[in-house]
C-alpha cells in the first residue's frame, strides 16, 4: 500500500486524541481531511497550530448525515473519533450523547458504506466494560453501562458492528483504555492535577483516588489507531488498545507531584465524585489481540509519558489555555 496516495478522514480531529492522530498520520505521509466541529468563531481547536499542505480542515457536525456523506467522498479510510466524552456531563445532558455518539456513528457508517471506504475505524472506550469483573480485561468481558456516556458508546459500537454483519462494511472497533497526554481536557485526572500544581496550588482538589486505570500515552493511542486502520484481518472485531498495567489515582497524583518536585496534599471535592453506582473502580486491559494482529506495542511507560505531559502543560503558553481553578464537567 502506497500511503502517499491514501486519503483519510478523521472526525473529532480538533480534539485531544484526534489532533494527535492527525499529526501522526501526516508524519507518515497521509493526506488528511480533518473534521472540526462547526462554530461561529471559525476555531479549529487543537488543529489551529498544525500546518501541513496535506491537511484539509473542514467544519461541520456528525449529527448531519448529509455532511457525513459529503466529507467521506474520496476517502480510503475513516477514523471516527467525534463524540461527547465527558462522563459527568452525560449525567446532565444524556440526550446530547445519544444524538452525537449513537446517531453520529450511524451517520458515519452510512456515509462509509455509500462511499465505499476501505476501512472504518470506530472509536470505543474502556468505559464500556465498567468495573472489571476480571483482569486483564479482554474483549470478551461483559459490557456494563455505568454512565449514560458508556451506554451510548456501547450503542455506537453495536451500530458499527451491525453494519459489518448486515452490509459487510469493513469496520473495526478501536477500544483505547485511559488516554492521557498534552492537550487533554483539564476535566481528566492527570491534567487537573498538573494544572493545579502548576498554578501554585498545594491543596489539590480531586475526586475518588481509589480507582485504578490502565493509562495509555496519547502517542501510543494514535499509533494503535493507525495500526488498526492498516492491518489485515481486523474487520468486524472489537480490539483493545491497552498497556496491561494498572495504577491507582492516588499513585498517579503522587507520581506527578514527585516529577514536578512539589509537596502537595489532596482534598476530595464532592463535585468530582461520580454517583455510587456509576464509578468504574478498576480498569486493566488485555492487549494480546492487538499485538497478535498488528505490530503495535506501547512505547511509553507511565513515568515517561507523565514527564512529557508535565513538560507540555507547564509551558506558560499552554498552561494559559486552562482554568485550573474551575472544574468543568
Amino acid at each position: 500500500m502506497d500511503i502517499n496516495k491514501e486519503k483519510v478522514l478523521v472526525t473529532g480531529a480538533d480534539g485531544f486524541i484526534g489532533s494527535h492522530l492527525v499529526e501522526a498520520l501526516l508524519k507518515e505521509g497521509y493526506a488528511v481531511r480533518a473534521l472540526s466541529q462547526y462554530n461561529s468563531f471559525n476555531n479549529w481547536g487543537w488543529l489551529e497550530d498544525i500546518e501541513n499542505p496535506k491537511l484539509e480542515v473542514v467544519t461541520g457536525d456528525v449529527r448531519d448525515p448529509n455532511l457525513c456523506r459529503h466529507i467521506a467522498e474520496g476517502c480510503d479510510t475513516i477514523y471516527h473519533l467525534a463524540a461527547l466524552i465527558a462522563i459527568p456531563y452525560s449525567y446532565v445532558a444524556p440526550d446530547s450523547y445519544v444524538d452525537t455518539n449513537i446517531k453520529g456513528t450511524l451517520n458515519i457508517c452510512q456515509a462509509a458504506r455509500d462511499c465505499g471506504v476501505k476501512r472504518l475505524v470506530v472509536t470505543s472506550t474502556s468505559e464500556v466494560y465498567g468495573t472489571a469483573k476480571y483482569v486483564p480485561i479482554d474483549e470478551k468481558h461483559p459490557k456494563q453501562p455505568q454512565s449514560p456516556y458508556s451506554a451510548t458508546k456501547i450503542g455506537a459500537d453495536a451500530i458499527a458492528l451491525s453494519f459489518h454483519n448486515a452490509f459487510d462494511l469493513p469496520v473495526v472497533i478501536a477500544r483505547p483504555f485511559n488516554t492521557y497526554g498534552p492537550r487533554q481536557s483539564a476535566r481528566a485526572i492527570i491534567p487537573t492535577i498538573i494544572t493545579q500544581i502548576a498554578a501554585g496550588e498545594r491543596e489539590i482538589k480531586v475526586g475518588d483516588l481509589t480507582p485504578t486505570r490502565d493509562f495509555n500515552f496519547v502517542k501510543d493511542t494514535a499509533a494503535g489507531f493507525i495500526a488498526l486502520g492498516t492491518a489485515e484481518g481486523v474487520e468486524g472485531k472489537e480490539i483493545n488498545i491497552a498497556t496491561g498495567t494498572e495504577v491507582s489515582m492516588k499513585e498517579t497524583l503522587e507520581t506527578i507531584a514527585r516529577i514536578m518536585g512539589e509537596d502537595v496534599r489532596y482534598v476530595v471535592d464532592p463535585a468530582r465524585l461520580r454517583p455510587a453506582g456509576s464509578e468504574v473502580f478498576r480498569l486493566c486491559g488485555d492487549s494480546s489481540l492487538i499485538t497478535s494482529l498488528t505490530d503495535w506495542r506501547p512505547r511509553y511507560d507511565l513515568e515517561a509519558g507523565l514527564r512529557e505531559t508535565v513538560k507540555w502543560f507547564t509551558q506558560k503558553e499552554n498552561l494559559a489555555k486552562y482554568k485550573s481553578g474551575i472544574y468543568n464537567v
Side-chain angles (χ1 to χ4, degrees):
M1 181 187 298
D2 184 357
I3 64 173
N4 291 301
K5 295 182 180 178
E6 290 279 310
K7 184 164 204 170
V8 302
L9 168 65
V10 180
T11 73
D14 51 344
F16 162 48
I17 299 176
S19 62
H20 282 276
L21 177 58
V22 167
E23 285 184 322
L25 288 163
L26 291 170
K27 186 176 181 180
E28 293 202 14
Y30 289 89
V32 179
R33 179 176 292 157
L35 176 64
S36 172
Q37 186 174 30
Y38 173 81
N39 62 84
S40 60
F41 301 103
N42 197 27
N43 184 280
W44 297 345
W46 292 116
L47 298 175
E48 286 286 340
D49 297 326
I50 302 176
E51 295 184 8
N52 189 299
K54 288 192 173 184
L55 174 62
E56 173 195 2
V57 179
V58 295
T59 59
D61 195 311
V62 293
R63 292 175 296 180
D64 188 317
N66 296 311
L67 180 280
C68 291
R69 189 172 294 106
H70 174 70
I71 61 176
E73 286 285 352
C75 292
D76 299 284
T77 301
I78 298 176
Y79 294 92
H80 176 47
L81 285 78
L84 287 176
I85 63 169
I87 295 168
Y89 188 57
S90 78
Y91 305 137
V92 179
D95 280 10
S96 299
Y97 284 69
V98 171
D99 288 343
T100 298
N101 296 353
I102 297 179
K103 292 183 180 178
T105 299
L106 171 62
N107 292 339
I108 288 293
C109 287
Q110 290 177 322
R113 182 188 178 206
D114 290 346
C115 296
V117 302
K118 298 176 183 177
R119 177 72 53 80
L120 169 59
V121 181
V122 170
T123 308
S124 184
T125 169
S126 56
E127 284 283 328
V128 304
Y129 295 126
T131 296
K133 291 183 175 296
Y134 59 82
V135 295
I137 298 169
D138 59 22
E139 291 80 0
K140 295 179 182 178
H141 189 284
K143 308 295 195 304
Q144 301 179 98
Q146 291 181 218
S147 65
Y149 162 68
S150 64
T152 61
K153 295 299 282 185
I154 291 171
D157 295 349
I159 285 288
L161 291 172
S162 78
F163 267 68
H164 173 74
N165 294 328
F167 309 119
D168 204 28
L169 185 69
V171 64
V172 57
I173 307 297
R175 185 165 292 137
F177 279 62
N178 299 81
T179 301
Y180 71 98
R183 307 178 199 149
Q184 188 173 19
S185 165
R187 167 193 48 77
I189 183 67
I190 288 174
T192 199
I193 294 169
I194 295 172
T195 55
Q196 287 182 76
I197 295 176
E201 299 293 335
R202 294 299 171 264
E203 195 170 79
I204 308 304
K205 294 179 180 179
V206 293
D208 189 348
L209 292 183
T210 60
T212 65
R213 294 292 183 263
D214 184 334
F215 286 115
N216 278 308
F217 188 58
V218 66
K219 290 183 180 178
D220 283 335
T221 299
F225 274 98
I226 296 173
L228 295 178
T230 56
E232 300 297 329
V234 299
E235 295 90 343
K237 299 183 185 298
E238 305 170 71
I239 302 179
N240 291 339
I241 303 174
T243 68
T245 59
E246 63 180 318
V247 60
S248 72
M249 302 293 198
K250 185 174 184 294
E251 292 173 290
T252 304
L253 185 152
E254 292 169 345
T255 301
I256 292 169
R258 173 175 55 78
I259 289 172
M260 297 181 74
E262 299 292 349
D263 184 15
V264 300
R265 60 183 294 268
Y266 68 87
V267 293
V268 174
D269 178 3
R272 301 169 192 251
L273 296 173
R274 299 191 195 185
S278 186
E279 181 61 81
V280 173
F281 286 101
R282 191 178 187 191
L283 286 174
C284 180
D286 184 339
S287 62
S288 59
L289 184 56
I290 190 173
T291 56
S292 70
L293 294 170
T294 77
D295 61 0
W296 180 86
R297 303 291 186 279
R299 294 176 51 242
Y300 288 81
D301 62 20
L302 185 60
E303 178 88 14
L306 284 177
R307 287 190 178 278
E308 192 163 322
T309 304
V310 167
K311 181 179 179 181
W312 185 89
F313 272 97
T314 52
Q315 292 176 13
K316 186 176 180 180
E317 64 273 21
N318 295 330
L319 186 61
K321 295 181 173 72
Y322 290 82
K323 301 178 179 70
S324 62
I326 300 175
Y327 176 57
N328 182 11
V329 300

